[in-house]
Amino acid sequence: MRSTAANAELALLLEVAGTPKPGNVDREREYPDLLFEHFLAGAVGASGGLARAADPQGPPVGECFERAVAGMSQQSGGNTQFGALLVLVPLVRGAAGRELSPRTASAVARGTTVEDAAAFYHAFEHVNVTVRDPPEGMEPLDVRRGADAVPTLKKQGITLYDLMELSSGRDGIAREWTGGFERSFRAASAIADGTGPITDRAAETYLWLLSREPDTFVADNHGERVAHSVMTRAQEAREGNPELVDAFAESLVAQGINPGTTADVTAAGIFIALESHGVTV
Amino acid sequence: MRSTAANAELALLLEVAGTPKPGNVDREREYPDLLFEHFLAGAVGASGGLARAADPQGPPVGECFERAVAGMSQQSGGNTQFGALLVLVPLVRGAAGRELSPRTASAVARGTTVEDAAAFYHAFEHVNVTVRDPPEGMEPLDVRRGADAVPTLKKQGITLYDLMELSSGRDGIAREWTGGFERSFRAASAIADGTGPITDRAAETYLWLLSREPDTFVADNHGERVAHSVMTRAQEAREGNPELVDAFAESLVAQGINPGTTADVTAAGIFIALESHGVTV
């Protein structure tokens, strides 16, 4: 039996190995400065933080996340799996010493504290993460302020869950935290119901997720309209022949459009499939 | 700084990700029953045994190896990294709490005991490993006997190093153990001297190693003549254009010829490059 922590690390590896995964690094597509090997090193580096999250007596979720991000960042590609770790960590703790379910994971999310929020801000100091400007009046809580935002957090008593609620309108990972990790669990079911290599099932699930909701990381980088158009093109690609998926993939890479949030949710889905659906590699 | 254990696990991942690596599973080539994802799961599964090997106060080398093999075997592809772990474990212990060198690794190898040999035999019970019939008179020590061979080992006082000496005439991994891990360290220098993605450097180093010595795993499975012909074809492929390497790769996969020992030594070389040459991902 693979441990919960090992399942989480393996989920990160299987996610990046799935191909074609239009717009994201996969086994066959890289960006010049963001290589497949950066994701391998990111997954291995994150394993210490994931192991702590998998320990029911381990440190608080925020600390586990920060540690996973710090380890993930020990490679020269930059941000490889920040979002994936943000969605994975509450799921891993939700599986620690009990049966993982939307209920256990949501309880972890809702139980986070101001300290967890502070650790989340500290995590941004380890790696450059693309984010949008905060909504008006929220500037003191801009994640790009890193540790400088912590006094405001503490003064206002804002927990990590509160932060996720504040962002859930425009961030797909925050929406997982506040919405019972719904898409992650649906992705897991899709992967579990599939046949053949898991990396193929993961790639299909990625495209399905992409075809259903605009990717919020694309929206952050290129605006809502582009995110919506990518979703529509994902629908067309799924209905067409396999060459259409490849062409879609090439075109997104050429335009530098990277639906990262969808890949993050796919990684979460793979983890749940390994951890609670009995999917074996 | 990545830990020694993490470097070893990452080396396994970078090795399988290197492409083209004629005859072996890589990012772009799989066998129907031996998939890329089996190697990912094998590397993650081996990490517990590797972590113990990296601990100067950890259990004996044989036990670390057996544990790594047991974890590696928790996937349905069968033997993915048995040979790689056999060459990695003494190197990892040779790096534990000190500077890795041919001297420290050889001291680990020479310091092995009868108990280490017994653990080595137990490791064969976790996974099917292709081996040749033993030389005449050595039947009681046939590794395929698994734990049944242990009484003979104990009676004759045979250590793991003794076993490696007995096999070094026809096994490339055993030759590393008895020969100062010479090819592993040379591979590491080649990787460290290269530029560009590490997976590319690893693939080039693999082809270079393959062009210099007949692969003993190919010899085990297909005979010495085939192993020699693969070496000659590797030389030709290296001298030709990149398409020739791809054609060579396709042809080996089609014939089911898998130069596994060369891949194992490549993994060892990647580990040394990460651990002591300051090569960063």
Side-chain angles (χ1 to χ4, degrees), chain B residues 61-85:
Chain B
V61 164
E63 188 180 327
C64 297
F65 172 69
E66 190 199 346
R67 189 166 186 121
V69 169
M72 175 274 279
S73 308
Q74 300 297 305
Q75 38 77 27
S76 59
N79 177 17
T80 48
Q81 289 125 333
F82 189 96
L85 292 170

Side-chain angles (χ1 to χ4, degrees), chain A residues 1-2 5-7 9-10 13-14 17 26-30 35-38 40-41 44-45 47 74-77 196-200 280-281, chain B residues 1-2 5-7 9-10 13-14 17 26-30 35-38 40-41 44-45 47 74-77 196-200 280-281:
Chain A
M1 268 288 289
R2 205 177 294 114
N7 276 335
E9 183 189 353
L10 183 56
L13 294 168
L14 293 169
D26 67 23
R27 247 193 283 183
E28 293 178 5
R29 282 171 195 83
E30 303 181 315
L35 302 171
F36 186 72
E37 64 199 46
H38 295 140
L40 301 180
V44 171
S47 63
Q74 301 296 306
Q75 37 76 28
S76 58
I198 296 176
T199 52
D200 290 351
T280 55
V281 180
Chain B
M1 267 290 287
R2 205 177 294 115
N7 276 336
E9 182 189 353
L10 183 56
L13 293 168
L14 293 169
D26 67 23
R27 248 192 284 182
E28 293 177 5
R29 282 171 195 83
E30 304 180 315
L35 302 171
F36 186 72
E37 62 198 49
H38 295 141
L40 300 181
V44 171
S47 63
Q74 300 297 305
Q75 38 77 27
S76 59
I198 295 175
T199 53
D200 290 351
T280 55
V281 181

